[in-house]
Amino acid sequence: MRITAQTVVFDAADLEAESSFWARMLGGQVRAETDWHTVVVAGAAPVAVQSAPDHRPPQWPQGLPQQIHLDLDVEDITSAHTEVIGLGAEVLQMATGDQRFNVYADPAGHPFCLCWH
């Protein structure tokens, strides 16, 4: 099998809120179609958002299960944390002990982690 492209796709009831969040988060641009928005980031695989009017956010860590999450490595967790909160992310869990990641939810409730080394 030869895979020619890969795209991470998020379901969301609010296409604009979800695609705008990821465009600002990743430094990309939104290409909007009726039921599908593509976030284009120079030199990277696109991220897409598809219309899912009945989307229900996963409940992390228990409850309605997540289907996917992103781990994003950052250089400065303090400034990255401040920025994602300003973009509309919600804190789900802050790192404790030896953990080197914080868990957040995007506007549609999809979990993602900011990780540092």
Side-chain angles (χ1 to χ4, degrees):
M1 173 183 357
R2 182 173 174 265
I3 297 172
T4 59
Q6 63 180 17
T7 305
V8 173
V9 181
F10 292 100
D11 288 352
D14 186 338
L15 283 174
E16 180 63 31
E18 186 75 358
S19 61
S20 294
F21 174 85
W22 285 108
R24 292 183 312 224
M25 181 79 173
L26 300 173
Q29 300 289 324
V30 176
R31 289 190 190 149
E33 298 175 34
T34 303
D35 292 330
W36 181 275
H37 289 189
T38 302
V39 176
V40 180
V41 181
V47 172
V49 181
Q50 69 180 2
S51 178
D54 296 327
H55 171 72
R56 293 184 359 203
Q59 299 161 332
W60 193 90
Q62 297 156 344
L64 206 66
Q66 66 187 18
Q67 291 81 38
I68 187 171
H69 79 273
L70 299 177
D71 284 350
L72 304 169
D73 290 355
V74 297
E75 294 177 359
D76 178 356
I77 186 58
T78 302
S79 64
H81 171 83
T82 301
E83 186 171 345
V84 300
I85 296 302
L87 293 174
E90 175 188 347
V91 175
L92 297 180
Q93 178 183 312
M94 297 296 285
T96 60
D98 292 338
Q99 292 179 334
R100 302 196 59 80
F101 62 92
N102 294 338
V103 184
Y104 303 85
D106 69 16
H110 300 289
F112 67 95
C113 298
L114 294 183
C115 310
W116 63 95
H117 302 283

